[in-house]
Amino acid sequence: MTNQPRKAPFDVEQYARRVSGGPCFVCAFVAGEPDYHHHVVYENDDTVAFLARYPTLLGYCLVAPKRHLESWVHDMEPPEFLRFQGVVHRVARAIAATLPTERMYSMSLGSQQGNAHLHWHLAPLPPGIPYDRQQFHAVMAENGVLEVDDDSQEAVARDIRSRLHG
């Protein structure tokens, strides 16, 4: 199995209180609020991609438009959506070039009750994960989050960024 950091339990109730009672996490991050710091892997005028604060897989990234949108179906016209998905694809390829990846999971999650800002999840499943720990199990924080420190996350972000320039 690939060398992933150890997993730690995740307090889902505390997380739910933070996202339902706090500011929009993407808008707060884009505005530079220190409590919403993330490691950026890509940024342009319209889009930002960053490592997840509570990753379940090493290199787990979120990609979001900078302006507050809540629905890719209703809030984006097809040309804007296709540009956005071009960034999602480019970031996914950089992640896969950085970390051993058997399958790149990609999904849009969120809720009007918390994490309403549109964002795409990119989760690189490493080779060797048993089937019963793949797919939804691999991305659910309820199954634990990786114990990663700030320095190791910055190193992963730097490696992914290096594959986006060129």
Side-chain angles (χ1 to χ4, degrees):
M1 188 157 74
T2 302
N3 189 12
Q4 293 274 307
R6 202 174 68 165
K7 284 199 172 183
F10 183 68
D11 189 337
V12 176
E13 290 177 16
Q14 179 184 21
Y15 175 77
R17 283 191 301 276
R18 177 181 168 104
V19 300
S20 63
C24 168
F25 84 103
V26 176
C27 291
F29 167 62
V30 170
E33 292 185 25
D35 286 347
Y36 291 86
H37 168 77
H38 293 274
H39 295 280
V40 174
V41 300
Y42 176 84
E43 184 172 10
N44 67 20
D45 291 342
D46 303 315
T47 307
V48 64
F50 50 92
L51 292 179
R53 179 175 280 196
Y54 307 108
T56 57
L57 297 167
L58 195 60
Y60 196 129
C61 280
L62 304 177
V63 184
K66 286 184 176 179
R67 73 184 167 104
H68 188 91
L69 302 175
E70 296 186 2
S71 170
W72 60 271
V73 174
H74 301 293
D75 297 342
M76 291 178 132
E77 291 300 317
E80 181 183 14
F81 176 72
L82 293 174
R83 280 191 308 277
F84 178 72
Q85 284 301 303
V87 172
V88 170
H89 184 257
R90 188 171 173 213
V91 171
R93 288 179 65 101
I95 296 167
T98 302
L99 298 161
T101 303
E102 176 180 312
R103 170 82 61 157
M104 182 66 66
Y105 297 141
S106 173
M107 63 206 115
S108 175
L109 299 173
S111 167
Q112 295 305 311
Q113 298 172 27
N115 294 337
H117 193 122
L118 173 66
H119 60 286
W120 227 260
H121 292 243
L122 295 174
L125 180 74
I129 301 294
Y131 183 73
D132 66 340
R133 299 214 177 264
Q134 294 182 14
Q135 302 181 74
F136 291 113
H137 187 281
V139 298
M140 291 179 59
E142 291 87 337
N143 296 318
V145 296
L146 298 181
E147 291 183 337
V148 290
D149 61 36
D150 199 58
D151 290 341
S152 64
Q153 283 288 79
E154 180 51 39
V156 170
R158 186 174 46 251
D159 288 348
I160 294 168
R161 278 193 308 270
S162 75
R163 287 166 173 81
L164 283 161
H165 302 291

